[in-house]
Amino acid sequence: MSQPQGWVEAGEIGDIEEEDVIRFDYGERTFAVYRTSDDKYYVTEGLCTHEKVHLSGGLVMGHIIECPKHNGRFDFTTGQVKKIPPCINIQTYPVQIKAGKILVKVD
Ligand code: FES
């Protein structure tokens, strides 16, 4: 299925458990795709801004992703740092669900 310009398919809705996160790689870039317990989907850049660890290895709690390395936290709906050591927010990306696919606007 071809997507509108700038949108790419990051997987299917069933690929992620509720309140969980998966990694999505696109070209040279890496992202984290989140599903909340109320069945909403969000996407952020994939690496922690502290030491470039994959956030997909972390823990989702509500709207928070906790980095697996030093337990820094971000709100993945806004990208804001919620607990140090990271001090730089993560970037977020627009998401839409279409015919069971998770679409992300990557640029
Ligand atoms: S690498 Fe994420 S908190 Fe340090």
Side-chain angles (χ1 to χ4, degrees), residues 3-19:
Q3 310 302 347
Q5 186 148 17
W7 291 85
V8 297
E9 186 182 320
E12 303 198 355
I13 52 174
D15 293 345
I16 316 177
E17 301 288 320
E18 283 186 14
E19 205 159 46

Side-chain angles (χ1 to χ4, degrees), residues 5-100:
Q5 186 148 17
W7 291 85
V8 297
E9 186 182 320
E12 303 198 355
I13 52 174
D15 293 345
I16 316 177
E17 301 288 320
E18 283 186 14
E19 205 159 46
D20 205 358
V21 55
I22 60 169
R23 175 176 167 178
F24 166 59
D25 292 335
Y26 181 68
E28 302 283 295
R29 300 164 69 187
T30 188
F31 300 87
V33 185
Y34 308 84
R35 179 179 175 184
T36 62
S37 58
D38 59 349
D39 225 13
K40 302 243 176 19
Y41 292 80
Y42 295 89
V43 174
T44 69
E45 63 183 290
L47 301 177
C48 181
T49 53
H50 182 228
E51 285 187 5
K52 304 294 176 199
V53 167
H54 283 279
L55 291 170
S56 55
L59 187 64
V60 173
M61 298 167 286
H63 287 175
I64 298 295
I65 177 70
E66 184 176 78
C67 176
K69 190 152 185 193
H70 309 107
N71 308 107
R73 292 182 181 181
F74 303 89
D75 182 332
F76 59 78
T77 69
T78 63
Q80 279 190 321
V81 174
K82 290 296 180 185
K83 184 175 167 235
I84 59 167
C87 51
I88 300 170
N89 295 340
I90 48 174
Q91 187 167 352
T92 60
Y93 297 88
V95 178
Q96 58 175 294
I97 305 300
K98 212 168 167 183

